[in-house]
Amino acid sequence: MSVEPATAGELAANGGADGDVAVSVRNVYKLFGGDEQAALEMAREGASREAVQETHGSVLALSDVSFDVKRGELFIVMGLSGCGKSTLVRCINRLIEPTAGEVWLGDHEVTSLSASDLRQLRRTDLAMVFQHFGLMPHRNVLDNVCWGLEVNGVERRRRRERAEEALTAVGLGGWGANMPDQLSGGMKQRVGLARALALDAPVLLMDEPFSALDPVIRRDLQDELSALQERVHKTIIFITHDLSEAVRIGDRIAIMRDGAIVQLDSPTDVVLNPADAFVRDFTKEVRLQSMVTAESIMHELPRVVRGDRLASEALDDIVADDRVHAMIVDGAGRYLGVESGARLRRAVRDGDPPVGDLPLTATDAVTGDTVLDDLVAHGLRAAHSIPVVDGDGMLVGEIPLEALAEAMTSDESAGANGADDG
Ligand SMILES: Nc1ncnc2c1ncn2[C@@H]1O[C@H](COP(=O)(O)OP(=O)(O)OP(=O)(O)O)[C@@H](O)[C@H]1O
Ligand SMILES: [Mg+2]
């Protein structure tokens, strides 16, 4: 029995990790125009985008970009307009030729392939989904999805089967005979996705696939992509400039600025532990909207007070803990209510009953995943602090109202580590 964990550990230690890398981008630079080689030297010495452009007339679109994407990972590249996202994704399949650096797809170095090998690779290993759908208007939906398979020489019956499967996977089963102009934007993008899925390539490159869609459709497609990914386990490199989209669907997020990656982390870490002031600024809204949860700002309770304790004992407890109220739980630890010190003192004078017998103030409890917006509503009704419970109603912590106020007003809430570079 104990052999299994050891084996798994060995695999990881013996370079099994390499086998887990689907795409590796290594020290890639891209310069557009001007004296590219001289500009490259300058960029390698660490010159800024502006300086390189001024001196050599070259746009430094990518500057020393390196990262590994794991097999089955949904990897996000995000950043503001012009930061180099599209250039990066196009350097991966060499629709744009990198000026320097290497791109690897598993064991194959993409950057050293001949033109014909590269074409083959794009058809079988690296499918791309574009922002503006890229559908052929004169072909019906099914034939659009079949197209890549046709180019790959897949036999007609087989390619129609695969296309139907892919259309079903994106929720468009039965739409094959329609023409693209009969579809909404969201549906067109599903067709684009189906076309990439039909190729059955292990790696999908998606350049802002949802950004032309309205917010509601966009969220639907995000959810569907997540659900689809659960089933198909592709390696997906997904470009977006929308952080909430990135956080919603990404396994890891690379944040780019001026052609370089400034942070590569899990969604939670990007939002809660921004690497610098730029990322912090960038992530502030999402942090406030969704990442500040009850769990991320709650405080541990020094102790909880069981309902069978006497009022005088509860009072001693909170005085010892320097608190003004007691959180009362039942014998199993389930939250019952809150009692203030003043009311406990009165109860002691009135015969000192067990606190469980008092008419407790039942401040509504929240669960750990409650987001800031909802916490604020609770905060308005709470006298002291908001109790936090788990799914079984067990009391796990509290949010003092000061902590809530701090989260609302401060960008340094929830443990963001930005104190060093403000
Ligand atoms: N063919 C080109 N010739 C010259 N400059 C280019 C070319 N393509 C891109 N650039 C420049 O490279 C930089 C990065 O562009 P890129 O399109 O990769 O940005 P992006 O992050 O995808 O932006 P967006 O969010 O607007 O799509 C920009 O400054 C852009 O002007
Ligand atoms: Mg782009």
Side-chain angles (χ1 to χ4, degrees):
M1 287 289 263
S2 65
V3 174
E4 275 183 32
T7 308
E10 256 168 42
L11 272 179
N14 293 341
D18 269 355
D20 284 346
V21 174
V23 178
S24 182
V25 172
R26 302 182 189 168
N27 308 106
V28 165
Y29 287 82
K30 178 64 195 179
L31 289 129
F32 286 111
D35 185 345
E36 290 177 15
Q37 285 309 315
L40 175 64
E41 289 317 309
M42 197 175 166
R44 280 190 162 139
E45 282 157 19
S48 72
R49 217 181 209 192
E50 291 73 30
V52 170
Q53 179 143 25
E54 201 157 299
T55 313
H56 297 292
S58 295
V59 177
L60 177 59
L62 295 176
S63 180
D64 201 14
V65 173
S66 296
F67 58 88
D68 287 340
V69 181
K70 292 176 218 153
R71 227 168 275 287
E73 188 171 32
L74 203 162
F75 186 92
I76 305 273
V77 178
M78 69 166 308
L80 301 175
S81 185
C83 72
K85 304 179 295 295
S86 294
T87 305
L88 174 59
V89 80
R90 284 172 164 75
C91 279
I92 291 173
N93 63 4
R94 283 176 60 199
L95 284 177
I96 292 177
E97 213 47 74
T99 308
E102 295 173 3
V103 175
W104 290 74
L105 194 70
D107 300 335
H108 298 284
E109 191 192 341
V110 180
T111 28
S112 69
L113 292 179
S114 67
S116 64
D117 288 346
L118 182 60
R119 268 197 303 278
Q120 180 62 29
L121 187 88
R122 286 190 199 132
R123 294 205 303 249
T124 53
D125 291 279
L126 263 178
M128 183 134 176
V129 180
F130 297 92
Q131 176 176 0
H132 293 291
F133 323 130
L135 301 186
M136 287 168 284
H138 56 281
R139 284 180 163 225
N140 71 20
V141 165
L142 189 73
D143 288 339
N144 261 286
V145 177
C146 281
W147 175 70
L149 299 168
E150 208 174 309
V151 176
N152 283 359
V154 175
E155 164 273 316
R156 184 182 150 88
R157 233 199 33 224
R158 182 76 194 108
R159 70 182 183 240
R160 293 183 77 89
E161 272 168 23
R162 293 244 299 258
E164 297 277 11
E165 276 167 26
L167 280 171
T168 304
V170 300
L172 285 182
W175 284 84
N178 290 75
M179 298 305 282
D181 64 5
Q182 295 173 298
L183 306 184
S184 69
M187 293 164 91
K188 283 182 198 160
Q189 192 50 276
R190 285 166 206 253
V191 178
L193 183 56
R195 185 171 55 195
L197 285 176
L199 286 174
D200 208 21
V203 179
L204 291 182
L205 305 175
M206 304 180 79
D207 190 357
E208 305 220 28
F210 303 152
S211 66
L213 307 174
D214 73 52
V216 175
I217 304 286
R218 187 172 180 154
R219 271 180 98 95
D220 282 352
L221 273 174
Q222 288 163 3
D223 289 346
E224 281 173 33
L225 182 68
S226 296
L228 188 69
Q229 172 67 348
E230 293 275 300
R231 300 202 302 274
V232 298
H233 296 294
K234 300 281 181 194
T235 302
I236 301 178
I237 300 180
F238 187 105
I239 310 289
T240 180
H241 60 255
D242 175 356
L243 184 68
S244 57
E245 176 165 275
V247 166
R248 211 172 149 87
I249 66 174
D251 293 318
R252 283 190 304 155
I253 302 176
I255 300 207
M256 291 185 73
R257 180 193 189 185
D258 289 350
I261 292 180
V262 292
Q263 184 166 7
L264 201 180
D265 256 322
S266 69
T268 311
D269 279 332
V270 163
V271 173
L272 293 185
N273 298 312
D276 62 16
F278 171 76
V279 180
R280 185 161 65 246
D281 209 37
F282 206 68
T283 53
K284 179 172 179 179
E285 198 151 325
V286 166
R287 176 158 48 254
L288 290 178
Q289 279 169 4
S290 65
M291 297 303 280
V292 175
T293 59
E295 191 168 28
S296 72
I297 60 171
M298 80 178 182
H299 291 203
E300 270 179 34
L301 290 160
R303 81 178 101 198
V304 292
V305 178
R306 284 195 14 193
D308 58 4
R309 303 268 288 168
L310 299 177
S312 56
E313 294 172 318
L315 193 59
D316 289 346
D317 283 354
I318 65 171
V319 169
D321 293 337
D322 199 20
R323 291 162 62 81
V324 294
H325 63 282
M327 289 278 174
I328 320 289
V329 298
D330 70 10
R334 266 185 296 271
Y335 169 71
L336 291 178
V338 184
E339 197 61 305
S340 69
R343 285 164 54 105
L344 285 172
R345 256 178 225 104
R346 217 173 306 136
V348 173
R349 286 199 302 273
D350 293 346
D352 199 12
V355 285
D357 294 351
L358 296 171
L360 299 174
T361 309
T363 302
D364 286 346
V366 298
T367 49
D369 57 1
T370 308
V371 297
L372 187 64
D373 274 354
D374 297 330
L375 290 176
V376 172
H378 280 270
L380 294 174
R381 294 195 296 268
H384 302 290
S385 59
I386 305 172
V388 183
V389 296
D390 68 12
D392 299 322
M394 308 291 272
L395 186 63
V396 293
E398 67 174 351
I399 302 170
L401 295 184
E402 311 83 71
L404 180 60
E406 199 184 313
M408 287 161 62
T409 53
S410 156
D411 190 31
E412 305 310 319
S413 59
N417 67 358
D420 49 342
D421 57 4

